[in-house]
Amino acid sequence: MPHSPAVQPLGTLVALGGGDDDAMLALLCDMLPKPGLPVEIITVASRDDTRSARAYERALRELGCVGARHLRISEHHPADAPDTLRRLRRASLVFFSGGDQERITDFLLGTEFLRVLLERYQQEPDFIIAGTSAGAAVMPEFMVVEGYGWRALRKGGMLTSNGLGLLPRLLIDQHFVERGRFGRLAHALLAHPMCLGMGLAEETGVIIRQGRHAEVFGDGVVMVVDGRHLTGSNLGRIGRGEPVSGQNFVVHLLVAGQVLDLHSRRVPDTEEV
């Protein structure tokens, strides 16, 4: 099972649904207490990791984050290398790029690197972890790794796996509106009914402060699907390839500036936050 924070974390997570991430990068630079602080870019999700890292280094430095550097983790660069861990302990911001989220977990689950990342996220108020696309989907306790179109609404047509465990009882799906992923997220909640599902449109994301308050930013919509009161699930009674069923999903559509309380699963009035 993934590691899950035992107490309310002090750090901040920023997750984007993919697409053009210029606005997110500018937001991250503005969130840093000082522009020269160390920013570590992790592109392990991409097989062309060096090219992707160069583009992010250039973009962040142009925005004033002069401490942005590529922290390479790959087949030949283990996450627990002493210099890699040293840089992780100094970083003010750790950014995960897009690609294949399973590559992130393949290289990080069970490592000292992940233990240090979680510890800093839990204990340090100024520490920021950010990710776009796959880098966003990998953050919670679970992640959706397969599921396409109508097949996602048939048993066996959707698959989840362990994420990094930064956010317990949560699923984040990316490119959500553009790739028609409601079906696979709903199916994932049938498999994990105590989880909250969060579908991020491209160029749209959330800033999650202290593991609780998720503020929407960007030009699109965040769809939140709550399966906590789910009834009528047939998942345990049907065979592979048969259509799935469930009732009483609760759905919210949220736009920039709105805040979701991840504990109560409500959208409180501004004065309540």
Side-chain angles (χ1 to χ4, degrees):
M1 291 296 291
H3 305 274
S4 296
V7 296
Q8 183 168 311
L10 299 180
T12 300
L13 297 180
V14 183
L16 185 78
D20 188 328
D21 49 22
D22 288 349
M24 178 201 195
L25 298 180
L27 173 67
L28 292 174
C29 289
D30 287 343
M31 290 174 68
L32 287 174
K34 297 178 183 177
L37 292 173
V39 175
E40 299 295 354
I41 304 162
I42 299 177
T43 57
V44 65
S46 172
R47 294 191 181 276
D48 189 5
D49 62 327
T50 303
R51 180 179 178 184
S52 177
R54 286 194 189 119
Y56 277 114
E57 278 185 351
R58 182 170 59 251
L60 285 164
R61 288 175 181 175
E62 287 175 356
L63 288 165
C65 291
V66 294
R69 296 173 61 198
H70 180 204
L71 183 57
R72 194 168 194 190
I73 297 172
S74 68
E75 289 81 355
H76 304 295
H77 300 82
D80 286 349
D83 185 60
T84 300
L85 292 174
R86 179 187 62 81
R87 287 173 57 180
L88 173 62
R89 290 187 174 100
R90 293 181 60 247
S92 293
L93 165 64
V94 175
F95 173 76
F96 289 92
S97 69
D100 178 357
Q101 58 256 40
E102 287 186 280
R103 280 183 57 84
I104 302 175
T105 53
D106 284 347
F107 285 97
L108 294 189
L109 287 183
T111 63
E112 176 70 5
F113 184 99
L114 181 55
R115 189 195 68 77
V116 173
L117 186 75
L118 287 166
E119 183 179 83
R120 295 201 62 200
Y121 168 60
Q122 291 169 11
Q123 298 179 3
E124 300 181 30
D126 292 329
F127 186 58
I128 304 168
I129 303 172
T132 182
S133 188
V138 78
M139 290 181 180
E141 183 174 1
F142 302 105
M143 60 185 185
V144 183
V145 294
E146 286 184 18
Y148 306 96
W150 63 268
R151 294 176 184 84
L153 286 171
R154 293 184 178 270
K155 188 169 182 177
M158 181 284 311
L159 181 65
T160 62
S161 183
N162 290 336
L164 295 182
L166 296 165
L167 294 161
R169 294 189 176 183
L170 187 72
L171 284 154
I172 292 178
D173 208 351
Q174 73 276 34
H175 307 285
F176 191 73
V177 176
E178 294 76 10
R179 300 185 186 178
R181 288 180 165 174
F182 177 83
R184 78 178 199 173
L185 184 59
H187 189 166
L189 293 174
L190 292 176
H192 304 283
M194 292 309 294
C195 282
L196 185 69
M198 189 176 288
L200 307 180
E202 292 180 4
E203 299 170 29
T204 309
V206 288
I207 304 169
I208 302 176
R209 296 179 174 90
Q210 297 184 342
R212 179 166 185 174
H213 296 124
E215 179 182 354
V216 178
F217 68 91
D219 297 330
V221 174
V222 171
M223 182 176 290
V224 178
V225 186
D226 187 355
R228 183 169 47 179
H229 303 298
L230 184 70
T231 60
S233 172
N234 68 350
L235 201 58
R237 307 190 303 273
I238 60 174
R240 188 176 180 86
E242 294 186 66
V244 299
S245 173
Q247 294 82 55
N248 293 320
F249 290 104
V250 176
V251 178
H252 305 297
L253 299 179
L254 305 180
V255 296
Q258 291 187 288
V259 178
L260 174 71
D261 186 324
L262 296 178
H263 290 188
S264 68
R265 303 188 176 186
R266 294 176 56 246
V267 181
D269 295 332
T270 304
E271 59 267 20
E272 293 183 56
V273 178

